[in-house]
Amino acid sequence: MLLAVACATTLMAQQRAVSDLNFGWRFHAGDVKNAEQKSFSDADWRTVNVPHDFQIEQPWVAPAADEKADNSDAAANIKSRLSSRGFKEMGKGWYRLHFTPADSLRGRRLLLQFDGILYTADVYLNGERIGGTDYGYVGFEIDVTDKLKFGQENVIAVLADTREPGNSRWYTGGGIFRDVRLVATGKELFFERHPLYITTRENKFVNVSGEFTNRTRKPAKTLVKIYAPDGSLVFEGGKTINRHRMARTVETALCNEVTIADVKLWDTEHPQLYRVVAQLFREDGSLADEVCSTFGIRTVEIVPNKGLLLNGKKVLLQGYANHHTLGALGAAAYPRAIEKRIQLMKQFGINHIRTSHNPYSREFIELCDKYGILVVDELYDKWTRQHTGGRVGFTQLWQSDIPEWIKRDRNSPSVVLWSLGNELQQDPNQPFNDFGVTMYRLMRPLVARYDSTRKVTVAMHPRYRNWETDSLPCELAKITDVQSYNYRYMYFPGDGHRFPWMTFYQSEASTQAMGQNFFEMELDKVIGLAYWGAIDYLGESMGWPAKGWSQGVFYIDLEPKPKAYYMKSFFCPDEPVVHIAFLESENAEMWNGVKMGNDRMSELWNRPEGAKVNVYIYTNGDEVELLLNGKSLGRKENPKGAKLRNQIRWGEIDYKAGRLEAVAYRNGKAVARHQVETTGEAVRLIAEPDRQSPKTKSSKKGSQFSAESAQLWQADGMDLQHVRIVAVDKKGRKVLTAQQEVSFKVEGNAEIVGVINGDITSNEMTVGTKRSLFNGCCTVILRSTRQAGPVTLTASAPGMKEIKLQMETK
């Protein structure tokens, strides 16, 4: 293909240009001899577009007869070989891209950029190894200025490797899972990678510094423009920077203490974003390079006995900590899939995400900037070779990983805290054999070298010798800027009394103890918490046939479980909430010494007549009345104690077909209702797309739109359409017992990239054209092509008339 150069702005047409390399890769699963060579024939390989996860496409691998089905005996080294990695086999995959560079790129400085390749990778150009990554969560670039051949075809070849099962504790995915691009700049005067550093002071002063290279032997002129959230220009100023007689690459202030009038502050409810455009000019006044970055004006303070103050006001972190994967898509980092999650989490009161235990994509951080999510940005799990790629020792990674990670995200207002690692105390093989103390003291100054505005932490088990008997926190807890304790919030008061400078964050909280581990904290004094695994995910299975973590309050397909409404009841105290749930079975699973098993709850009101049903009601009302077919079963008050607050355990009632309704009251007034009904047999399907277009319609009554659907489906080759398929009865009610297999067919300018339901124990694949209903629904995910036009999705299931959904990409 001829490499077409796409520019971010017209002004940049003759300076910096960016070409998208996400499309048209040839792929082969497994290692192939000589696949890096330019002359190698890949004619029989299939074509894929990135982001791409080749591991998600592989079949499930059940535990062998001599393996444990879960991680329960990990200490004895007899756990299942693949339970932590999602019961997918490890392996390698080759990617090859053929292209001919445009003549307009001659004489330019050319950089090949990869935002991430899992888990490790080698990159070749025309048969020559030119670079790679030993820790694929961190992006990198390769200078190919003198290596690209003009007037002929070039071949980029990438060998991605998931490494061995023990090299990660979760499902990583494999392949080119983030964006790829080619960047062209001038050769003599240009900005470096992640060049801008934007800081604010007192919520009105802005400082911008930049890193650039000047090979002209002459002074460079700079110009900085700052644009307000509404797009208006609020500052423009320039300066001349003399070339240093020794250093060609310099970091220097581009503007100092710029006063912004009528400031629009960034916060969780009003995430106002400003934009900086920085330009470099040659001595003759011609534009040499231009870069831009968004930022927010806000202050973050973390104060003992107060917690986190955003713009001087207390904000409690109410969040979750999950791995980076995206359900049916595996590790492939589609911005729309990330955005969908953030939008859903906001609806349930979440204002915080911890990126466990590696940097997420840059697009994730930008979406958190956009939606007002507070991020604890984490770099590593444990500081060992085993847990950081497995190809080189940890001490060979951090010196390059930290600058790339910090410089990429430091201008984002959503990032409020850096985290360097997780649970070092569980692995004694940390560098220097002191459970991370020396290593932290080495890394902390390097973080400060690139960002002095944020504090730094490490998530930990604070009693590493014996959780039950140790009276003092470990040495690492005494030197980190913030004390981040996984699960052990009960130590906050005592440790705070002994060490009054400490500030406390429950960096992982058990969903099993949800509510109790929130209300038992002194909320006015702590930073907040992150519920571990709030969304079910692949990997870290507690036992086959579960393909991963199933203790969340959202299913892997993002359908909320009943307990999600319990979380919402205290994360959204001002919004009346009431929700009925039925206890189906109890779960006492242990994980890392913590009870993590979530009781299995449902909303099913189709049962044998007279059956005993154990009713729970989640509410933030003062009291709740329960009615069965219009007859009151009484009222009960919301418990006051921390352990049971906002959950009324009604007890057993006799099932009767019809309608069960809960009514929540505040000050004697009904403020919220929730009901469940006995449904009939499923007779038809309805389709609910989450992106709208002028031509989106269903050939069958029942197509619905979510609140997200006001956004148009873009024909950019990257945008997704999640279509939820729901089985309903004659009255249009969702039938939770429907389990039929749904077949999909798509015609037009889109392709199916994922199919999923909430059943993490299912042996069905998340790729393909079929998926069974679970709790009455499933989801098919469509990826647009780069050609705008109509898309028709057909869904059919046994015993139901097929449904056609007509859509359009713009």
Side-chain angles (χ1 to χ4, degrees), residues 15-138:
Q15 294 78 40
R16 177 172 297 249
V18 179
S19 180
D20 185 343
L21 298 185
N22 283 346
F23 302 95
W25 290 81
R26 299 286 184 86
F27 173 75
H28 185 281
D31 201 357
V32 181
K33 187 176 181 180
N34 297 323
E36 76 279 9
Q37 297 300 320
K38 181 179 179 181
S39 60
F40 179 87
S41 176
D42 54 23
D44 61 344
W45 290 15
R46 69 187 178 97
T47 300
V48 301
N49 300 321
V50 302
H52 179 250
D53 176 4
F54 71 77
Q55 196 176 20
I56 199 70
E57 301 170 349
Q58 299 185 26
W60 306 112
V61 180
D66 59 347
E67 289 182 312
K68 295 286 290 185
D70 56 29
N71 285 321
S72 60
D73 285 329
N77 203 30
I78 56 172
K79 67 178 181 179
S80 169
R81 185 174 64 91
L82 295 175
S83 64
S84 62
R85 302 293 291 270
F87 293 106
K88 296 280 189 178
E89 193 55 81
M90 302 299 101
K92 299 179 180 181
W94 277 100
Y95 297 82
R96 287 168 57 90
L97 182 68
H98 299 249
F99 70 98
T100 301
D103 285 342
S104 61
L105 296 178
R106 289 182 186 271
R108 312 294 301 281
R109 171 177 172 262
L110 302 173
L111 302 168
L112 182 60
Q113 296 183 343
F114 291 88
D115 286 351
I117 311 175
L118 289 171
Y119 191 16
T120 64
D122 298 290
V123 180
Y124 301 85
L125 179 61
N126 300 324
E128 176 190 357
R129 187 185 185 280
I130 57 172
T133 178
D134 295 316
Y135 184 62
Y137 294 111
V138 174

Side-chain angles (χ1 to χ4, degrees), residues 734-774:
K734 180 181 178 183
V735 180
L736 296 178
T737 54
Q739 300 179 10
Q740 292 95 319
E741 181 182 76
V742 181
S743 298
F744 300 103
K745 182 176 70 173
V746 64
E747 299 169 281
N749 298 319
E751 62 175 335
I752 296 174
V753 292
V755 287
I756 195 165
N757 63 31
D759 184 9
I760 207 165
T761 67
S762 171
N763 290 329
E764 295 175 306
M765 295 287 287
T766 63
V767 295
T769 59
K770 296 181 179 181
R771 192 72 201 221
S772 295
L773 299 167
F774 175 75

Side-chain angles (χ1 to χ4, degrees), residues 8 39 133 160 208 215 245 268 285 328 339 343 363 396 440 521 530 538 571 621 632 721 809:
S39 60
T133 178
V208 181
R215 295 173 178 165
R245 65 188 183 90
T268 57
E339 181 182 44
Q343 289 172 327
E363 290 79 8
Q396 295 177 249
Y440 176 83
M521 294 192 299
L538 293 175
F571 276 4
S632 177
Q721 177 85 269
T809 60

